[in-house]
Amino acid sequence: MAISDIKFGTDGWRGIIAWDFTFENVRRMAQALADFINLNAPSDLGEKTNIAAVGYDRRFLSDKFAADIASILKLNKVDVTLLDKPVTTPVMSALSYTKFWITIMVTASHNPPQYNGIKIKVDGGSISGRLTKEIEEMLDQKSILYIPGHQVEATSGLEKLYFKYIASKVNTKKAASLKGKVAVDYMHGSAAGYMQQLLGEKRVVALNDSHDPCFGGVKPEPKESSLTELKKTVVKDKCILGAAFDGDGDRTALIDEKGKYLSPCMVSAIVLNHLIKTKKAAGKVLQCLSMGYLNKRIARAGGLEFEEVPVGFKHIAERTALEKIAFGAEESGGYCWNGLMPERDGLTLIMFIMEIMASEKMALSELVKEIEKEYGASHYQRRDFKLSKHIDKTAMAEKLKKKLPKKILGHHVAETYTFDGLKIILDNDEWLLIRPSGTEPVLRLYSETGDKKQTEAFLDFGEKLASAFK
C-alpha cells in the first residue's frame, strides 16, 4: 500500500477496517507519530506532566489498535500512558489540555461501523493541518519498532480529569437544579454513562448504552432521522430535554421537551445569544460554512465580528490560538466559546444548555421561540448521497458555479463561496451548500430558509444541480 494512501482528512485519518485501516498501517502511523513526538516534544512541559496518552472508543478492535500504538511509542522511548477502557474524544482532548503534551484517540467518530480511525489532540484541540502533513511525511522513513507481545500497562481513572474540567467551565450545580428527567441516546458509543455521572442514575433515561461495535446497525451520528426513539422517549417519560451523542461523544443533538429536534443552527443561536446577553461575550464569532444565518444576525446585533470558515472544527480550533474568539460553531454538533478548550464536546454543551434553561427559567422550546421572535425562523436540513469515490471539492465547486442561474426560488444569488464546496447565498440570507465529505465518499447538501417547504425546494434544486457527481 502506498504512503499516499494514509492521509488525514477533516479530523483525523479514517479507513475501513481490514481494508486500509489495518494493523500494518496503524503500526506505520504509530512509528511516524513516535518520530514526530521525539522530534517535537518540548523538554519543559510547563504545567503539564506527561508527554503522550493513547485512548480508544468502543469500535471493533479499537482497544487492540490502541495497544499497538502505545507499544510502538514506548519502544521508541516515548513516555506514553494507555487508558484502560473506552472513553470519548473530549476526554482525550481534556487530557491534552491539562496533563499531556499530545494525545492519540483511536476512533472513527460518527462513521459507519466498518470504519476506524485516529485523531490527534494537542492543547485541547485537533492538531493543525501543518503538523499532520509533517506526520504524513514521516511515514515509512524509519523501520517500525514493533515487538509482538510487547504491552504497555493500562492506566485507570484519567477520565476524572475531564469531569473536573467540565465543572470548572459550566455551573453544573445550577444545571442539575432543573427538575425533571433527561433522556439520553448514547448510540452505543463511548459516552455511555457520562450523563449519569453528572446528574445521577435516577435523573437519566438511557437509551442504547450497551457496548455494540455494530452500533445497533445504525450509523452512530445524531442526525434527526436516527432520533425517533429518543423523541418518543422524551414525550413518554415527560423529560425536560433529550440528548444524543455520536460514537466518540464529541458531537451531540438536542430534543426539546415536546419531542422536537433542534437544528445545530438553533442550538448555536441559543448559546451565542446567552453568551452575549449574560456573559458579555467579546471577540469574533466563527462558524463553519455548513451553518446558517442566525449566528450572523445575532453577532451583528451584538456588535461582534462574524466570519465563516471551512467545514471541520479544527478550522475553528486553530483560530482560537491566534485571536480572541467569542464563539465557534459547526454543523456536526461542535460548539466552543471563550474559556473552553478548542474542541467539540457534547457533554459540556448539554450541561451548558441546562445551565441556560435554569438561568433563564425557560423550557428549551421557549428558548427556541425567543430566538425565532428576535432573529427569524430557521428551517435547516441536510441530505447525504453516497458516491462511488471521493471527488475533488474545488473542481466540483467551480463546475457547479458556472451552471448557476442568476435567480433561485425567486431570489437573486447574492454571494457564492467556493473555498470548501459551493455555498450559494440568496439576497434574503437563505442558502444552500453542496460539499463532498472530507472523511468518506459522500456528497452532502445543506440548506436553511425560513420555511420547511422552501428548504426542501432548495435541496431539490441542489440535488438536480449536483446530479452529475452522485
Side-chain angles (χ1 to χ4, degrees), residues 218-303:
V218 178
K219 182 180 177 182
E221 182 177 15
K223 297 194 301 182
E224 183 177 8
S225 58
S226 302
L227 303 179
T228 302
E229 182 185 11
L230 178 61
K231 290 180 178 181
K232 291 180 178 178
T233 300
V234 168
V235 175
K236 177 176 66 71
D237 289 6
K238 298 180 179 179
C239 297
I240 58 174
L241 64 86
F245 290 91
D246 74 338
D248 68 332
D250 61 351
R251 303 181 181 191
T252 190
L254 295 177
I255 306 295
D256 72 15
E257 78 283 0
K258 297 180 180 179
K260 184 177 179 181
Y261 168 81
L262 273 65
S263 74
C265 298
M266 184 56 68
V267 173
S268 63
I270 290 171
V271 173
L272 178 58
N273 194 47
H274 182 77
L275 289 171
I276 292 175
K277 284 173 55 179
T278 66
K279 307 286 186 179
K280 302 188 184 301
K284 183 178 288 186
V285 174
L286 296 180
Q287 70 174 27
C288 290
L289 202 63
S290 52
M291 296 286 283
Y293 48 69
L294 287 179
N295 288 337
K296 182 191 296 185
R297 293 171 180 174
I298 293 170
R300 186 187 301 142

Coordinates of all heavy atoms in Angstrom, one line a residue, residues 218-303:
V218 N -27.0 1.0 13.1 CA -27.3 2.4 12.7 C -26.0 3.2 12.8 O -25.2 3.0 13.8 CB -28.3 3.1 13.7 CG1 -28.5 4.5 13.3 CG2 -29.6 2.3 13.6
K219 N -25.7 4.0 11.8 CA -24.5 4.8 11.9 C -24.6 5.7 13.1 O -25.6 6.4 13.3 CB -24.5 5.7 10.6 CG -23.3 6.6 10.5 CD -23.4 7.4 9.2 CE -22.2 8.4 9.1 NZ -22.3 9.2 7.8
P220 N -23.6 5.7 13.9 CA -23.6 6.5 15.2 C -23.5 8.0 15.1 O -22.5 8.6 15.6 CB -22.5 5.9 16.0 CG -21.5 5.5 15.0 CD -22.3 5.0 13.8
E221 N -24.4 8.6 14.3 CA -24.4 10.0 14.1 C -25.7 10.6 14.5 O -26.8 10.1 14.0 CB -24.1 10.3 12.6 CG -24.1 11.8 12.3 CD -23.8 12.1 10.8 OE1 -23.9 11.1 10.0 OE2 -23.4 13.2 10.5
P222 N -25.8 11.5 15.4 CA -27.0 12.0 15.9 C -27.8 12.9 15.0 O -28.0 14.1 15.3 CB -26.6 12.7 17.2 CG -25.2 13.2 17.0 CD -24.6 12.2 16.1
K223 N -28.1 12.4 13.8 CA -29.0 13.1 12.9 C -30.4 12.9 13.3 O -30.8 11.9 13.9 CB -28.8 12.6 11.5 CG -27.4 12.8 10.9 CD -27.4 12.6 9.4 CE -27.8 11.2 9.0 NZ -27.8 11.0 7.5
E224 N -31.3 13.9 12.9 CA -32.7 13.8 13.3 C -33.3 12.5 12.8 O -34.1 11.9 13.6 CB -33.5 15.0 12.7 CG -34.9 15.0 13.1 CD -35.7 16.2 12.6 OE1 -35.1 17.0 11.8 OE2 -36.8 16.4 13.0
S225 N -33.0 12.0 11.6 CA -33.6 10.8 11.1 C -33.3 9.5 12.0 O -34.0 8.5 11.9 CB -33.1 10.5 9.7 OG -31.7 10.4 9.6
S226 N -32.3 9.6 12.8 CA -31.9 8.5 13.7 C -32.4 8.6 15.1 O -32.1 7.8 16.0 CB -30.4 8.4 13.7 OG -29.9 8.2 12.4
L227 N -33.2 9.7 15.4 CA -33.6 10.0 16.8 C -35.0 9.8 17.1 O -35.5 10.4 18.0 CB -33.1 11.4 17.1 CG -31.7 11.8 16.9 CD1 -31.4 13.2 17.2 CD2 -30.8 10.8 17.7
T228 N -35.7 9.0 16.3 CA -37.2 8.7 16.5 C -37.4 8.2 17.9 O -38.4 8.6 18.6 CB -37.7 7.8 15.5 OG1 -37.5 8.3 14.2 CG2 -39.2 7.6 15.7
E229 N -36.7 7.2 18.3 CA -36.8 6.6 19.6 C -36.6 7.6 20.7 O -37.4 7.6 21.7 CB -35.9 5.4 19.8 CG -36.0 4.7 21.1 CD -35.0 3.6 21.4 OE1 -34.0 3.5 20.6 OE2 -35.2 2.8 22.3
L230 N -35.6 8.4 20.6 CA -35.3 9.5 21.6 C -36.5 10.5 21.7 O -36.9 10.8 22.8 CB -34.0 10.2 21.2 CG -33.6 11.3 22.2 CD1 -33.4 10.8 23.6 CD2 -32.3 12.0 21.7
K231 N -37.0 10.9 20.6 CA -38.1 11.8 20.6 C -39.3 11.3 21.3 O -39.9 11.9 22.2 CB -38.5 12.2 19.2 CG -37.6 13.0 18.4 CD -38.1 13.3 17.0 CE -37.3 14.1 16.1 NZ -37.8 14.4 14.8
K232 N -39.6 10.0 21.0 CA -40.8 9.3 21.7 C -40.5 9.2 23.2 O -41.4 9.4 24.0 CB -41.0 8.0 21.1 CG -41.6 8.1 19.6 CD -41.8 6.7 19.1 CE -42.3 6.7 17.7 NZ -42.5 5.4 17.1
T233 N -39.3 8.9 23.6 CA -39.0 8.7 25.0 C -39.1 10.0 25.8 O -39.6 10.0 26.9 CB -37.5 8.1 25.1 OG1 -37.4 6.9 24.4 CG2 -37.2 8.0 26.6
V234 N -38.7 11.1 25.2 CA -38.8 12.4 25.8 C -40.2 12.7 26.2 O -40.6 13.1 27.3 CB -38.2 13.5 24.9 CG1 -38.5 14.9 25.5 CG2 -36.7 13.4 24.8
V235 N -41.1 12.5 25.2 CA -42.5 12.8 25.4 C -43.1 11.8 26.4 O -43.9 12.2 27.3 CB -43.3 12.8 24.1 CG1 -44.8 13.0 24.3 CG2 -42.8 13.9 23.1
K236 N -42.9 10.5 26.2 CA -43.5 9.5 27.0 C -43.1 9.6 28.5 O -43.9 9.5 29.4 CB -43.0 8.1 26.5 CG -43.6 6.9 27.3 CD -43.2 5.6 26.7 CE -41.7 5.3 26.7 NZ -41.2 5.0 28.1
D237 N -41.8 9.9 28.7 CA -41.3 10.0 30.1 C -41.3 11.4 30.7 O -40.8 11.7 31.7 CB -39.9 9.4 30.2 CG -39.8 7.9 30.0 OD1 -40.9 7.3 29.7 OD2 -38.8 7.3 30.2
K238 N -41.9 12.3 29.9 CA -42.1 13.7 30.3 C -40.7 14.3 30.7 O -40.6 14.9 31.8 CB -43.1 13.8 31.5 CG -44.5 13.4 31.1 CD -45.5 13.5 32.2 CE -46.9 13.1 31.8 NZ -47.8 13.1 32.9
C239 N -39.7 14.1 29.9 CA -38.4 14.6 30.2 C -38.3 16.1 29.8 O -39.0 16.7 29.0 CB -37.3 13.9 29.3 SG -37.3 12.1 29.7
I240 N -37.3 16.8 30.5 CA -37.2 18.2 30.2 C -36.4 18.5 28.9 O -36.4 19.5 28.3 CB -36.5 18.9 31.4 CG1 -35.1 18.3 31.7 CG2 -37.4 18.9 32.6 CD1 -34.3 19.0 32.8
L241 N -35.6 17.5 28.5 CA -34.9 17.5 27.2 C -34.4 16.1 26.8 O -34.3 15.2 27.7 CB -33.8 18.5 27.2 CG -32.6 18.4 28.1 CD1 -31.5 17.5 27.4 CD2 -32.0 19.7 28.4
G242 N -34.0 16.0 25.6 CA -33.4 14.8 25.1 C -32.0 15.1 24.5 O -31.9 16.2 23.9
A243 N -31.1 14.2 24.6 CA -29.8 14.5 24.0 C -29.3 13.2 23.4 O -29.5 12.1 23.9 CB -28.8 15.0 25.1
A244 N -28.5 13.3 22.3 CA -27.9 12.1 21.7 C -26.4 12.4 21.4 O -26.1 13.5 21.0 CB -28.6 11.8 20.4
F245 N -25.6 11.4 21.6 CA -24.2 11.5 21.4 C -23.8 10.7 20.2 O -24.4 9.7 19.8 CB -23.3 11.0 22.6 CG -23.4 11.8 23.8 CD1 -24.4 11.6 24.8 CD2 -22.5 12.8 24.0 CE1 -24.4 12.3 25.9 CE2 -22.5 13.6 25.2 CZ -23.5 13.3 26.1
D246 N -22.7 11.1 19.5 CA -22.2 10.2 18.4 C -21.3 9.2 19.0 O -21.1 9.1 20.2 CB -21.5 11.1 17.3 CG -20.2 11.6 17.8 OD1 -19.9 11.7 19.0 OD2 -19.4 12.0 16.9
G247 N -20.6 8.4 18.1 CA -19.9 7.3 18.5 C -18.7 7.6 19.5 O -18.4 6.8 20.4
D248 N -18.1 8.7 19.4 CA -17.0 9.1 20.3 C -17.3 10.2 21.2 O -16.4 10.8 21.8 CB -15.7 9.3 19.5 CG -15.8 10.6 18.7 OD1 -16.9 11.0 18.2 OD2 -14.7 11.2 18.4
G249 N -18.6 10.6 21.3 CA -19.0 11.6 22.3 C -18.6 13.0 22.1 O -18.9 13.8 23.0
D250 N -18.1 13.4 20.9 CA -17.8 14.8 20.8 C -18.9 15.6 20.1 O -19.0 16.8 20.3 CB -16.5 15.1 20.0 CG -16.5 14.5 18.6 OD1 -17.5 13.8 18.2 OD2 -15.5 14.8 17.8
R251 N -19.8 14.9 19.5 CA -21.0 15.6 18.8 C -22.3 15.2 19.6 O -22.4 14.1 20.1 CB -21.1 15.2 17.4 CG -19.9 15.4 16.6 CD -20.1 15.0 15.1 NE -18.9 15.2 14.4 CZ -18.8 15.2 13.0 NH1 -19.9 14.9 12.3 NH2 -17.7 15.4 12.4
T252 N -23.2 16.1 19.6 CA -24.5 15.9 20.2 C -25.6 16.6 19.5 O -25.4 17.5 18.7 CB -24.4 16.4 21.7 OG1 -25.5 16.0 22.4 CG2 -24.4 18.0 21.7
A253 N -26.8 16.0 19.7 CA -28.0 16.6 19.2 C -29.0 16.8 20.3 O -28.9 16.0 21.3 CB -28.6 15.7 18.1
L254 N -29.9 17.8 20.2 CA -30.8 18.1 21.3 C -32.3 18.0 20.8 O -32.6 18.3 19.7 CB -30.6 19.5 21.8 CG -29.2 19.7 22.6 CD1 -29.1 21.2 23.0 CD2 -29.1 18.8 23.8
I255 N -33.1 17.5 21.7 CA -34.6 17.4 21.5 C -35.2 18.2 22.6 O -34.9 18.0 23.8 CB -35.0 15.9 21.6 CG1 -34.2 15.0 20.6 CG2 -36.5 15.8 21.3 CD1 -34.4 15.3 19.2
D256 N -36.2 19.0 22.3 CA -36.9 19.8 23.4 C -37.9 18.9 24.1 O -38.1 17.8 23.7 CB -37.5 21.1 22.9 CG -38.7 20.9 22.0 OD1 -39.3 19.8 22.0 OD2 -39.1 21.9 21.3
E257 N -38.5 19.5 25.1 CA -39.5 18.7 26.0 C -40.7 18.3 25.2 O -41.4 17.4 25.7 CB -39.8 19.6 27.2 CG -40.8 20.7 27.0 CD -40.3 21.9 26.3 OE1 -39.1 22.0 26.0 OE2 -41.1 22.9 26.1
K258 N -40.9 18.8 24.0 CA -42.1 18.4 23.2 C -41.7 17.4 22.2 O -42.6 17.0 21.4 CB -42.7 19.7 22.5 CG -43.2 20.7 23.5 CD -43.8 21.9 22.8 CE -44.3 23.0 23.8 NZ -44.9 24.2 23.1
G259 N -40.5 16.9 22.2 CA -40.1 15.9 21.3 C -39.6 16.5 19.9 O -39.5 15.7 19.0
K260 N -39.3 17.8 19.9 CA -38.9 18.4 18.6 C -37.4 18.5 18.6 O -36.7 19.0 19.5 CB -39.5 19.8 18.5 CG -39.2 20.5 17.2 CD -39.9 21.8 17.1 CE -39.6 22.5 15.7 NZ -40.3 23.8 15.6
Y261 N -36.8 18.1 17.4 CA -35.4 18.2 17.2 C -35.0 19.7 17.0 O -35.6 20.5 16.3 CB -35.0 17.4 15.9 CG -33.7 17.6 15.4 CD1 -32.6 17.0 16.0 CD2 -33.4 18.4 14.3 CE1 -31.3 17.2 15.4 CE2 -32.2 18.6 13.7 CZ -31.1 18.0 14.3 OH -29.8 18.1 13.8
L262 N -33.8 20.1 17.6 CA -33.2 21.4 17.4 C -32.1 21.3 16.5 O -31.1 20.5 16.7 CB -32.8 22.0 18.8 CG -33.8 22.7 19.6 CD1 -34.9 21.8 20.1 CD2 -33.1 23.4 20.8
S263 N -32.1 22.0 15.4 CA -31.0 22.0 14.5 C -29.8 22.6 15.1 O -29.9 23.4 16.1 CB -31.4 22.8 13.2 OG -31.3 24.2 13.5
P264 N -28.6 22.3 14.6 CA -27.4 22.9 15.1 C -27.4 24.5 15.0 O -26.8 25.2 15.8 CB -26.2 22.3 14.3 CG -26.9 21.7 13.1 CD -28.2 21.3 13.5
C265 N -28.1 25.0 13.9 CA -28.2 26.4 13.8 C -29.0 27.0 15.0 O -28.6 28.1 15.5 CB -29.0 26.7 12.5 SG -28.1 26.2 11.0
M266 N -30.0 26.3 15.4 CA -30.8 26.8 16.6 C -30.0 26.6 17.9 O -30.0 27.5 18.7 CB -32.1 26.1 16.6 CG -33.1 26.6 17.7 SD -33.4 28.4 17.6 CE -34.4 28.5 16.1
V267 N -29.4 25.5 18.1 CA -28.6 25.3 19.3 C -27.6 26.3 19.5 O -27.4 26.9 20.5 CB -28.0 23.9 19.3 CG1 -27.1 23.7 20.5 CG2 -29.1 22.8 19.3
S268 N -26.8 26.6 18.4 CA -25.7 27.6 18.5 C -26.3 29.0 18.7 O -25.7 29.8 19.4 CB -24.9 27.5 17.2 OG -25.7 27.9 16.1
A269 N -27.5 29.2 18.2 CA -28.1 30.6 18.4 C -28.5 30.8 19.8 O -28.3 31.8 20.4 CB -29.3 30.7 17.5
I270 N -29.0 29.7 20.4 CA -29.3 29.8 21.9 C -28.1 30.1 22.7 O -28.1 30.9 23.6 CB -30.1 28.5 22.3 CG1 -31.5 28.4 21.7 CG2 -30.2 28.5 23.8 CD1 -32.1 27.1 21.9
V271 N -27.0 29.3 22.4 CA -25.8 29.5 23.2 C -25.2 30.9 23.0 O -24.9 31.6 23.9 CB -24.8 28.4 22.8 CG1 -23.4 28.7 23.5 CG2 -25.3 27.0 23.2
L272 N -25.1 31.3 21.7 CA -24.5 32.6 21.4 C -25.3 33.7 22.0 O -24.7 34.7 22.6 CB -24.3 32.8 19.9 CG -23.7 34.1 19.4 CD1 -22.4 34.4 20.0 CD2 -23.7 34.1 17.9
N273 N -26.6 33.7 21.9 CA -27.5 34.7 22.4 C -27.3 34.9 23.9 O -27.2 36.0 24.4 CB -28.9 34.4 22.1 CG -29.8 35.6 22.3 OD1 -29.6 36.7 21.8 ND2 -31.0 35.3 22.9
H274 N -27.2 33.7 24.6 CA -27.0 33.8 26.1 C -25.6 34.3 26.4 O -25.5 35.1 27.4 CB -27.1 32.3 26.6 CG -27.0 32.3 28.1 ND1 -28.0 32.6 29.0 CD2 -26.0 31.9 28.9 CE1 -27.6 32.5 30.2 NE2 -26.3 32.0 30.2
L275 N -24.6 33.9 25.7 CA -23.2 34.4 25.9 C -23.2 35.9 25.8 O -22.5 36.6 26.6 CB -22.2 33.7 25.0 CG -21.9 32.3 25.2 CD1 -21.1 31.7 24.1 CD2 -21.3 32.0 26.5
I276 N -23.8 36.5 24.8 CA -23.8 37.9 24.6 C -24.6 38.6 25.6 O -24.2 39.7 26.2 CB -24.3 38.3 23.2 CG1 -23.3 37.8 22.1 CG2 -24.5 39.8 23.0 CD1 -23.8 37.9 20.7
K277 N -25.8 38.1 25.9 CA -26.7 38.8 26.9 C -26.2 38.7 28.3 O -26.3 39.7 29.1 CB -28.1 38.1 26.8 CG -28.9 38.5 25.6 CD -30.2 37.7 25.5 CE -31.0 37.8 26.7 NZ -32.3 37.0 26.6
T278 N -25.7 37.6 28.8 CA -25.4 37.4 30.2 C -24.0 37.3 30.5 O -23.6 37.5 31.6 CB -26.2 36.2 30.8 OG1 -25.7 35.0 30.2 CG2 -27.7 36.3 30.5
K279 N -23.2 36.8 29.5 CA -21.7 36.6 29.8 C -20.9 37.8 29.2 O -19.7 37.7 29.3 CB -21.3 35.3 29.2 CG -22.1 34.1 29.7 CD -21.8 33.7 31.2 CE -22.5 32.4 31.5 NZ -22.3 32.0 32.9
K280 N -21.6 38.7 28.5 CA -20.9 39.8 27.8 C -19.7 39.3 26.9 O -18.6 39.8 27.0 CB -20.4 40.8 28.9 CG -21.5 41.4 29.8 CD -20.9 42.5 30.7 CE -22.0 43.0 31.6 NZ -23.2 43.5 30.9
A281 N -20.1 38.3 26.1 CA -19.1 37.8 25.2 C -18.4 38.8 24.3 O -19.1 39.7 23.8 CB -19.7 36.7 24.3
A282 N -17.1 38.7 24.1 CA -16.4 39.7 23.3 C -15.5 38.9 22.4 O -14.9 37.8 22.7 CB -15.6 40.6 24.1
G283 N -15.3 39.4 21.2 CA -14.4 38.8 20.2 C -15.1 38.4 18.9 O -16.3 38.9 18.7
K284 N -14.5 37.6 18.1 CA -15.1 37.2 16.8 C -16.0 36.0 16.9 O -15.7 35.1 17.7 CB -14.0 37.0 15.8 CG -14.5 36.7 14.4 CD -13.3 36.5 13.4 CE -12.6 37.8 13.2 NZ -11.6 37.7 12.1
V285 N -17.1 35.9 16.1 CA -17.9 34.7 16.0 C -17.5 34.0 14.8 O -17.5 34.6 13.7 CB -19.4 35.1 16.0 CG1 -20.3 33.9 15.7 CG2 -19.8 35.8 17.3
L286 N -17.1 32.8 14.9 CA -16.8 31.9 13.8 C -17.8 30.8 13.6 O -18.3 30.3 14.6 CB -15.4 31.3 14.0 CG -14.2 32.2 14.1 CD1 -12.9 31.3 14.3 CD2 -14.0 33.0 12.8
Q287 N -18.1 30.4 12.4 CA -18.9 29.2 12.2 C -18.4 28.6 10.9 O -17.9 29.2 10.0 CB -20.3 29.5 12.1 CG -20.8 30.3 10.9 CD -22.3 30.4 10.9 OE1 -23.0 30.4 11.9 NE2 -22.9 30.6 9.7
C288 N -18.6 27.3 10.8 CA -18.2 26.6 9.6 C -19.2 26.9 8.5 O -20.4 27.2 8.8 CB -18.2 25.1 9.9 SG -16.8 24.6 10.9
L289 N -18.8 26.7 7.3 CA -19.6 27.0 6.1 C -20.9 26.4 6.1 O -21.9 26.9 5.5 CB -18.8 26.7 4.9 CG -19.1 27.4 3.6 CD1 -18.8 28.9 3.7 CD2 -18.3 26.8 2.4
S290 N -21.1 25.2 6.8 CA -22.3 24.5 6.7 C -23.3 25.0 7.8 O -24.3 24.3 8.0 CB -22.0 23.0 7.0 OG -21.2 22.8 8.1
M291 N -23.1 26.1 8.4 CA -24.1 26.7 9.3 C -24.7 27.9 8.6 O -24.4 28.2 7.5 CB -23.3 27.2 10.6 CG -22.7 26.0 11.4 SD -24.0 25.1 12.3 CE -24.3 26.2 13.6
G292 N -25.7 28.5 9.3 CA -26.6 29.5 8.7 C -26.6 30.9 9.2 O -25.6 31.4 9.7
Y293 N -27.7 31.5 9.0 CA -27.8 33.0 9.2 C -28.1 33.4 10.6 O -28.0 34.6 10.9 CB -28.9 33.6 8.2 CG -30.2 32.9 8.2 CD1 -31.1 32.9 9.2 CD2 -30.6 32.2 7.0 CE1 -32.3 32.3 9.2 CE2 -31.8 31.6 6.9 CZ -32.7 31.6 8.0 OH -33.9 31.0 7.9
L294 N -28.6 32.6 11.5 CA -29.0 33.0 12.9 C -27.8 33.6 13.6 O -27.8 34.7 14.2 CB -29.6 31.9 13.7 CG -31.0 31.4 13.3 CD1 -31.5 30.3 14.1 CD2 -32.0 32.6 13.4
N295 N -26.6 32.9 13.6 CA -25.5 33.4 14.3 C -25.0 34.7 13.7 O -24.5 35.6 14.4 CB -24.3 32.3 14.2 CG -24.6 31.2 15.1 OD1 -25.3 31.3 16.1 ND2 -24.0 30.0 14.8
K296 N -25.1 34.8 12.4 CA -24.7 36.1 11.7 C -25.6 37.2 12.2 O -25.0 38.3 12.5 CB -24.9 35.9 10.2 CG -24.4 37.1 9.4 CD -24.9 37.1 7.9 CE -24.2 35.9 7.2 NZ -24.5 35.9 5.7
R297 N -26.9 37.0 12.3 CA -27.8 38.0 12.7 C -27.5 38.4 14.2 O -27.6 39.6 14.6 CB -29.2 37.6 12.5 CG -29.6 37.5 11.0 CD -30.9 36.8 10.8 NE -31.3 36.7 9.4 CZ -32.3 36.1 8.9 NH1 -33.2 35.5 9.8 NH2 -32.6 36.1 7.6
I298 N -27.3 37.4 15.0 CA -27.1 37.6 16.5 C -25.8 38.3 16.7 O -25.7 39.3 17.5 CB -27.1 36.3 17.2 CG1 -28.5 35.7 17.2 CG2 -26.6 36.5 18.7 CD1 -28.6 34.2 17.7
A299 N -24.7 37.9 16.0 CA -23.4 38.6 16.1 C -23.5 40.1 15.7 O -23.0 41.0 16.3 CB -22.4 37.9 15.2
R300 N -24.3 40.3 14.6 CA -24.5 41.7 14.1 C -25.2 42.5 15.1 O -24.8 43.6 15.4 CB -25.3 41.6 12.8 CG -25.4 43.0 12.1 CD -26.4 42.8 10.9 NE -25.9 41.9 9.9 CZ -26.7 41.0 9.3 NH1 -28.0 41.0 9.5 NH2 -26.2 40.2 8.4
A301 N -26.2 41.9 15.7 CA -27.0 42.7 16.8 C -26.1 43.0 18.0 O -26.3 44.0 18.7 CB -28.2 41.9 17.1
G302 N -25.2 42.0 18.3 CA -24.4 42.2 19.5 C -23.1 43.0 19.2 O -22.2 43.1 20.1
G303 N -22.9 43.4 18.0 CA -21.7 44.2 17.6 C -20.5 43.4 17.5 O -19.4 43.9 17.7

